[in-house]
Amino acid sequence: MNTTPKPAMRPARPEFSSGPCAKRPGWNPENLSNAVLGRSHRSKIGKARLKEAIDRTREVLGVPDDYLVGIVPGSDTGAVEMALWSMLGPRLVQLLAFESFGKDWVTDVTKQLKIEAEVLDAPYGQLPDLSKVRKDADLVFTWNGTTSGVRVPNADFIAADREGITICDATSAAFAQDLDWPKLDVVTFSWQKALGGEAAHGVLILSPRAVARLESYSPPWPMPKLFRMTKGGKVTLDLFEGATINTPSMLAVEDAVDALKWAAAIGGFTEMKRRADANLAVLDAWVAKTDWVAFLAETADIRSNTSVCLKVVDPRVTGLSADAQADFAKKLAAVLEKEGVALDVGGYRDAPPGLRIWCGATVETSDLDALTPWLDWAFASVVADLQAA
């Protein structure tokens, strides 16, 4: 039985899920009162609101003027797969796989599209050998591994004079980490991560090099309607001006516009990144003085400032079987949820057992300050139950 008293302070908002993530501070349903409801998304007002979401995305992220920004179905997954199915095939493909979604893209490319590919992989907590990235190959990679808490430190491993294109899944990096736009040809993310928006919609950003690939290459496989971005050999520019391939939720669009307005009002990308960095710093300071926990990411330079993944390193737990360690991590997350201090913080199902705490800009640093004593209390509780069993 845990005899440690419960902490006096509780997080004001216990939403630390890594997707859908916490809504922006001050959010309430009244923010969506101007949503274009009961109208066609192809009406003048509907297309204008979609275009506003696109324009505000470009402004906050600092997307180059000659890149295209579009809203697509299927969340970040849909955006990535549109690029994979539409652009890959004319040259060798390399894939970086250091977490579960990167491994999913390996399956898509090698098993579904059956494209010749070289997989550069690494265990959870590490990055692959980035020096093996070739400039003559197409590259598919996640900038920030949402399920591993590992990110690439920069884009120096991508050649400026590359011959292939780069497809970057940036879903948990956008709005929190410095994306090197000249090195990226396709960038994807979803509103549900750093913006705290609603799910089901993805954002697809294309460089001029990506557009050139689309207009010069026709894949040999049948192309589902949801993936088609060209007509008559030219990119369908309407898709990047507020038209969409299928019907979007205008309520979700309004929520994204609201989040983007908030982001611009607080200082744009610079302030969003600062807030995420400050949130990571809270957990970093706590981990440094806590002997039962460690970051899953092995070194600080590759550590995520959004999807922070933690592992239990106490010998009373690491000495257990793999199944028992996984059970311990589930009980730890369950205790935190039962107390109402941290919701949905269990590690991803395919990742090593542990906790995953979202630290993006929509999370308040004060809530993370209040959370860390509860993490210690929850650990003490679950260990006490383990020893009593």
Side-chain angles (χ1 to χ4, degrees):
M1 178 178 179
N2 182 14
T3 59
T4 306
K6 292 181 180 180
M9 186 75 70
R10 291 173 175 267
R13 295 195 303 160
E15 291 84 16
F16 297 104
S17 163
S18 290
C21 301
K23 309 300 286 184
R24 61 127 172 130
W27 183 92
N28 66 70
E30 294 300 316
N31 302 132
L32 310 183
S33 59
N34 291 326
V36 182
L37 304 180
R39 295 290 307 272
S40 170
H41 61 294
R42 303 198 187 281
S43 66
K44 184 176 180 180
I45 188 174
K47 289 183 69 174
R49 196 56 53 85
L50 287 157
K51 182 65 162 53
E52 181 178 355
I54 289 170
D55 290 346
R56 289 184 179 277
T57 297
R58 183 185 299 278
E59 176 189 2
V60 174
L61 277 183
V63 178
D65 291 342
D66 57 351
Y67 282 49
L68 302 179
V69 181
I71 297 168
V72 301
S75 193
D76 176 67
T77 299
V80 173
E81 291 188 335
M82 285 179 72
L84 301 183
W85 282 65
S86 299
M87 300 184 197
L88 296 186
R91 60 174 64 235
L92 172 70
V93 177
Q94 288 186 309
L95 300 107
L96 304 186
F98 54 94
E99 51 88 52
S100 60
F101 287 98
K103 296 178 190 299
D104 286 343
W105 309 144
V106 170
T107 299
D108 271 18
V109 172
T110 62
K111 303 297 184 183
Q112 303 301 320
L113 297 178
K114 300 183 180 354
I115 293 174
E116 179 185 0
E118 179 184 8
V119 179
L120 304 177
D121 58 8
Y124 278 86
Q126 301 176 26
L127 279 177
D129 184 353
L130 299 181
S131 69
K132 293 183 178 179
V133 171
R134 298 167 47 166
K135 72 175 186 177
D136 63 337
D138 291 336
L139 177 67
V140 181
F141 72 106
T142 51
W143 188 283
N144 182 92
T146 311
T147 64
S148 68
V150 171
R151 62 175 170 180
V152 295
N154 51 55
D156 292 351
F157 62 95
I158 299 173
D161 61 345
R162 65 192 179 280
E163 299 160 26
I165 61 169
T166 56
I167 298 176
C168 175
D169 174 356
T171 197
S172 55
F175 302 99
Q177 298 167 19
D178 292 301
L179 300 176
D180 191 345
W181 292 105
K183 298 287 187 73
L184 305 177
D185 298 308
V186 178
V187 176
T188 68
F189 63 89
S190 69
W191 293 331
Q192 65 167 309
K193 297 294 188 185
L195 290 176
E198 293 304 299
H201 299 75
V203 174
L204 177 69
I205 302 175
L206 305 180
S207 76
R209 299 178 80 254
V211 171
R213 171 65 65 85
L214 283 169
E215 294 184 343
S216 64
Y217 169 67
S218 296
W221 43 78
M223 186 67 67
K225 178 182 178 181
L226 286 179
F227 294 172
R228 296 175 199 160
M229 291 183 277
T230 61
K231 187 174 183 180
K234 294 293 182 182
V235 166
T236 308
L237 293 178
D238 283 356
L239 297 179
F240 305 93
E241 294 292 329
T244 55
I245 293 175
N246 72 330
T247 305
S249 162
M250 296 308 293
L251 197 62
V253 170
E254 192 69 21
D255 193 50
V257 169
D258 173 73
L260 289 162
K261 286 180 178 178
W262 168 78
I266 65 171
F269 167 76
T270 299
E271 176 60 12
M272 292 189 79
K273 179 177 181 293
R274 187 205 66 77
R275 286 173 64 93
D277 287 344
N279 288 341
L280 171 61
V282 170
L283 293 183
D284 191 30
W286 170 71
V287 169
K289 66 180 183 181
T290 305
D291 58 7
W292 65 266
V293 71
F295 289 105
L296 185 56
E298 293 185 355
T299 58
D301 62 318
I302 64 171
R303 193 166 295 150
S304 172
N305 64 347
T306 56
S307 56
V308 179
C309 296
L310 303 169
K311 59 183 178 180
V312 178
V313 294
D314 187 286
R316 290 169 291 183
V317 179
T318 57
L320 301 172
S321 68
D323 286 345
Q325 289 184 57
D327 185 61
F328 185 93
K330 289 177 182 177
K331 288 178 178 177
L332 193 57
V335 167
L336 293 164
E337 182 156 349
K338 182 179 179 181
E339 291 293 332
V341 293
L343 308 177
D344 309 317
V345 294
Y348 191 73
R349 61 180 179 267
D350 295 331
L355 298 176
R356 183 171 57 150
I357 300 172
W358 184 256
C359 287
T362 58
V363 173
E364 297 281 27
T365 303
S366 57
D367 285 332
L368 285 161
D369 281 323
L371 173 64
T372 54
W374 282 98
L375 298 176
D376 288 324
W377 180 87
F379 175 78
S381 297
V382 181
V383 164
D385 291 344
L386 178 69
Q387 294 176 323

